[in-house]
Amino acid sequence: MIIVLKTGTTEPQLEAFSERLTEKYNVQVNVWRGTQSTVLGLLGDTHTIDIEAIQANEIVESVKRVQEPYKKANRAFHPNDTVISVGGARLGGGSLQLIAGPCSVESAEQIIGIAKRVKQSGATFLRGGAFKPRTSPYSFQGLRAEGIELLLEAKKETGLPIVTEIMSTSHLDLFEEVDVIQIGARNMQNFELLKEVGKLDKPVLLKRGLANTIEETLMSAEYIMASGNEKVILCERGIRTFETYTRNTLDISAVPIFKKLSHLPVVVDPSHASGISWLIEPLSLAALAAGADGLIIEVHNDPPHALSDGAQSITPDRFDQLAKKLFSVERALRG
Ligand code: PEP
Ligand code: MN
């Protein structure tokens, strides 16, 4: 339930009203303070609440029931865009952020070399997989703990915050110094994992599952937020369709839909969406035009010899050209 308060409501009035709501109806009250209005989001069993009784209160402007099953992720609860600050970078709220790096961390030279190059091109985050979710158990599984150490070394060298995937709650200790934890597509509905990352004070990049709807993705974000962590970044990375030309199908409409339904930052991954390196540029441009707050792009110094996802990886030179084009389009689009 959403309660919009009248302009001019004082802080003591707001506090007294919130306390009464909590006591009487046993609900949690989330307060969002905007420049124009203050919005209260009520969480819990709100069925017994009499809307007319609430409406009768002198500080109440309007009351509305939220139909959607996701509440904290809902834009109705938080009308302004959420902006997540990591290091110097700010995700959400309009500016384009580039997250770049290899699919897998392979060696110190590889990850530090790529980190330096993508930083020069304007990337503000370094990605790299240490724990890899591979379809085959015989494929490279990632350098695991050593991979995280190498990412931290690359961070020390470049200052870039790091984004890397967690696959199991038993690895949480290893992620203490990681800046942004990625929940991969295959784990989008691993609810125990979502609850655990929800207890951290660390941004979580949540990838849409291979066969999950927009609403299911928002419900997974809600799991993380309901556990206390509101720093969630949504990621559209392509979904399974009948098309076989591309690895997945980029659902570009998910970008404006996520932005409409939710206040959370939205990032697009053209690499896993397409599986083909020449498609990275057109899909990145489309994502920017559709309103994405960021792009997560696989960049490798030697794609033909990459230990994973070489076919969809672009070289640092191509990333540099792409970044230049994206930033100039961003200026044209957003001023
Ligand atoms: C990845 O980012 O390397 C990855 C495995 O992504 P996804 O979970 O989207 O497949
Ligand atoms: Mn990959």
Side-chain angles (χ1 to χ4, degrees):
M1 179 176 279
I2 296 288
I3 304 175
V4 181
L5 301 183
K6 285 184 179 154
T7 42
T9 301
T10 64
E11 201 60 28
Q13 279 177 310
L14 188 159
E15 268 170 36
F17 185 51
S18 298
E19 267 171 38
R20 254 185 292 139
L21 290 170
T22 310
E23 269 170 33
K24 193 162 175 200
Y25 301 110
N26 192 27
V27 288
Q28 187 192 327
V29 182
N30 267 39
V31 182
W32 178 86
R33 293 174 177 83
T35 44
Q36 304 295 325
S37 56
T38 299
V39 175
L40 303 185
L42 272 49
L43 292 167
D45 183 9
T46 56
H47 286 95
T48 57
I49 302 180
D50 176 4
I51 285 197
E52 279 172 24
I54 302 283
Q55 186 76 67
N57 203 291
E58 60 171 6
I59 63 169
V60 172
E61 178 72 44
S62 62
V63 189
K64 172 169 97 190
R65 285 197 192 279
V66 174
Q67 303 300 334
E68 295 85 9
Y70 49 91
K71 311 290 179 192
K72 289 195 164 196
N74 201 312
R75 194 175 274 281
F77 268 53
H78 191 292
N80 284 8
D81 284 351
T82 281
V83 179
I84 297 175
S85 297
V86 189
R90 286 159 56 84
L91 253 167
S95 72
L96 181 76
Q97 302 297 315
L98 299 180
I99 305 167
C103 178
S104 298
V105 179
E106 297 173 7
S107 68
E109 297 82 334
Q110 178 238 23
I111 192 69
I112 294 170
I114 294 173
K116 287 182 177 164
R117 292 292 313 275
V118 297
K119 185 183 178 179
Q120 275 169 7
S121 304
T124 43
F125 294 85
L126 174 67
R127 64 146 289 150
F131 291 90
K132 295 304 303 176
R134 306 303 302 279
T135 302
S136 167
Y138 309 117
S139 301
F140 176 59
Q141 300 287 304
L143 294 181
R144 301 169 71 86
E146 189 196 343
I148 295 187
E149 289 301 318
L150 297 179
L151 281 165
L152 291 170
E153 251 181 68
K155 178 185 173 178
K156 214 184 282 169
E157 290 274 335
T158 58
L160 287 177
I162 57 174
V163 182
T164 194
E165 177 170 354
I166 194 166
M167 295 209 297
S168 164
T169 53
S170 65
H171 300 150
L172 270 165
D173 288 352
L174 298 169
F175 284 71
E176 235 161 66
E177 289 177 68
V178 168
D179 299 282
V180 179
I181 293 187
Q182 177 174 320
I183 299 286
R186 291 154 192 83
N187 273 312
M188 191 202 87
Q189 287 191 318
N190 181 340
F191 300 117
E192 290 303 316
L193 186 56
L194 299 180
K195 285 185 221 169
E196 287 303 315
V197 297
K199 292 179 192 157
L200 308 176
D201 181 21
K202 206 185 266 305
V204 176
L205 188 137
L206 175 68
K207 290 191 148 195
R208 180 178 181 182
L210 281 73
N212 287 112
T213 64
I214 287 172
E215 185 164 295
E216 285 164 348
T217 308
L218 291 169
M219 288 309 292
S220 289
E222 190 77 14
Y223 257 95
I224 300 168
M225 299 174 88
S227 299
N229 185 354
E230 306 207 343
K231 295 178 193 160
V232 180
I233 301 148
L234 302 171
C235 179
E236 165 58 42
R237 47 77 75 206
I239 49 172
R240 278 272 165 91
T241 67
F242 55 79
E243 183 54 69
T244 54
Y245 191 91
T246 46
R247 184 176 179 181
N248 292 288
T249 297
L250 178 60
D251 180 8
I252 200 77
S253 60
V255 177
I257 296 171
F258 278 139
K259 298 289 296 181
K260 180 180 168 64
L261 300 180
S262 176
H263 51 89
L264 297 171
V266 177
V267 160
V268 168
D269 176 345
S271 308
H272 293 88
S274 66
I276 303 172
S277 63
W278 66 263
L279 276 171
I280 305 308
E281 178 171 318
L283 297 190
S284 297
L285 290 163
L288 171 60
D293 298 295
L295 290 159
I296 177 164
I297 298 176
E298 287 187 340
V299 178
H300 196 283
N301 50 310
D302 183 10
H305 295 105
L307 295 184
S308 59
D309 286 350
Q312 67 196 34
S313 300
I314 57 173
T315 60
D317 283 344
R318 276 183 73 187
F319 178 74
D320 189 63
Q321 291 157 12
L322 173 61
K324 285 194 173 78
K325 198 175 259 189
L326 287 167
F327 291 133
S328 75
V329 173
E330 187 197 17
R331 279 191 295 277
L333 280 174
R334 299 174 182 170

